[in-house]
Amino acid sequence: MTHAPDSSTASHTPAWKRVLTIVIPLLILALALHGLANEFDEHGYRAIRDAFHKLTGAQIALTVLLGLASYACLIGFDAIGLRRSGIRVHPARVGITAFLAHTLGQTVGFAALTGGAVRLRGYRSAGLDLAQIGQVVLMSTLGFVFGAWLLISVALCMEPAAAALALPLNPDAVRIVGIVALLAYLGTVLLVGRDGRQFSVLGHALWLPDRRTMIGVTVLSVIELVLASAAFYVLLPDSTPTGLPGFVGLYLVAVLAGLVSTVPAGLGVFEWSLLKLLPQVAPAAVLAAALIYRVTYYV
């Protein structure tokens, strides 16, 4: 785990870099909101309100249940990371700490830092040192990476036409990209071996878990991401032409766009990405679903 820089190091950070870390997310947020602005005129509000009223209580109840199941899987990443530390932590402490860490990380952004701060407070008193807590944070991050990697690869292979709507590629090229990504994942599984491996990338140490752990967190991550995407999918109209397997890939692209933007919870960026990725679905229906999803999954 990389320790946080001390005050003397932070004080030497150029002022322009500190300004950029604030300005860039705000600029991206402004651009995303500008892209959404056309959907929020008088006609847009009426259409979104109508789409909202078409949602049933059963749909909302189902998205709540799927969201809770998704968070239950997220707790599993902490449990796997703690198992490697060899220190037994009471299940109630693991559940509460992991839930709060993931909730804060996904809502505020910078999950490794914000969620790491929660874990530091929750697990430090249980006897874990900084390196062991860092292992838990890393396991959670790697879990998302492995699961998203595999799911996007499979989605590109199974429903390339859906991804081709948003990519400058034809369906055949999209399927080839998916196959290459899937083979790369399988190659990584073989590469890590039975004991895991440590690499150096641009001077930074990168640790990969052993094969058994990698497969375990991938399976857990796939289940969690499918549940999270299904929590949104059930809110879309029945006429949505994209099936759940294809939507999972599109959902992950929107999530990744939000993460890269560094805007808290990908606000605006996530919604704008889904509008572009689902051009065949009425924008009002997408935004109404996004509103309910925000309330149930994040709030």
Side-chain angles (χ1 to χ4, degrees):
M1 177 180 178
T2 302
H3 295 283
D6 57 26
S7 59
S8 61
T9 303
S11 64
H12 288 88
T13 302
W16 64 270
K17 287 187 177 181
R18 295 197 296 270
V19 171
L20 284 180
T21 59
I22 300 175
V23 172
I24 291 179
L26 290 177
L27 179 61
I28 294 174
L29 175 60
L31 291 173
L33 294 179
H34 177 72
L36 294 172
N38 291 334
E39 307 301 333
F40 287 94
D41 55 15
E42 184 176 351
H43 173 73
Y45 274 119
R46 189 180 303 113
I48 294 172
R49 184 183 59 192
D50 293 341
F52 178 81
H53 287 309
K54 290 179 181 178
L55 293 172
T56 66
Q59 285 177 289
I60 296 174
L62 183 55
T63 196
V64 170
L65 290 175
L66 289 168
L68 289 174
S70 169
Y71 273 99
C73 292
L74 289 172
I75 294 173
F77 291 126
D78 280 48
I80 294 174
L82 289 168
R83 185 181 63 188
R84 291 184 58 85
S85 71
I87 298 178
R88 181 174 176 80
V89 181
H90 194 282
R93 180 183 290 273
V94 177
I96 293 173
T97 302
F99 179 81
L100 292 175
H102 285 289
T103 302
L104 186 64
Q106 295 203 48
T107 303
V108 178
F110 302 101
L113 295 176
T114 53
V118 174
R119 292 183 177 93
L120 181 64
R121 183 172 181 82
Y123 296 142
R124 193 71 181 270
S125 59
L128 275 74
D129 58 28
L130 289 176
Q132 292 167 328
I133 296 173
Q135 194 75 36
V136 176
V137 175
L138 178 62
M139 190 62 65
S140 178
T141 303
L142 289 178
F144 172 80
V145 170
F146 293 147
W149 183 356
L150 183 59
L151 277 175
I152 289 178
S153 302
V154 173
L156 294 180
C157 292
M158 292 181 61
E159 295 201 29
L165 294 173
L167 298 174
L169 299 171
N170 60 52
D172 291 335
V174 170
R175 179 173 277 116
I176 291 174
V177 171
I179 293 173
V180 171
L182 185 58
L183 292 175
Y185 172 82
L186 295 175
T188 303
V189 172
L190 296 175
L191 180 64
V192 296
R194 296 179 59 183
D195 301 318
R197 293 185 182 275
Q198 184 167 331
F199 302 88
S200 179
V201 179
L202 300 177
H204 298 280
L206 175 63
W207 174 84
L208 292 177
D210 58 272
R211 183 180 299 134
R212 181 178 178 182
T213 302
M214 180 177 174
I215 294 175
V217 296
T218 299
V219 171
L220 183 62
S221 178
V222 166
I223 296 173
E224 185 274 320
L225 290 172
V226 169
L227 288 170
S229 58
F232 194 106
Y233 184 76
V234 297
L235 297 171
L236 293 174
D238 294 336
S239 58
T240 301
T242 304
L244 179 59
F247 178 76
V248 170
L250 302 180
Y251 169 87
L252 287 174
V253 171
V255 169
L256 290 172
L259 289 175
V260 172
S261 71
T262 69
V263 175
L267 184 63
V269 180
F270 175 75
E271 288 80 2
W272 180 85
S273 299
L274 282 177
L275 287 176
K276 296 299 181 182
L277 293 168
L278 296 169
Q280 67 277 49
V281 181
V286 175
L287 292 177
L291 175 61
I292 295 298
Y293 182 76
R294 287 281 184 187
V295 172
T296 58
Y297 195 81
Y298 288 94
V299 180

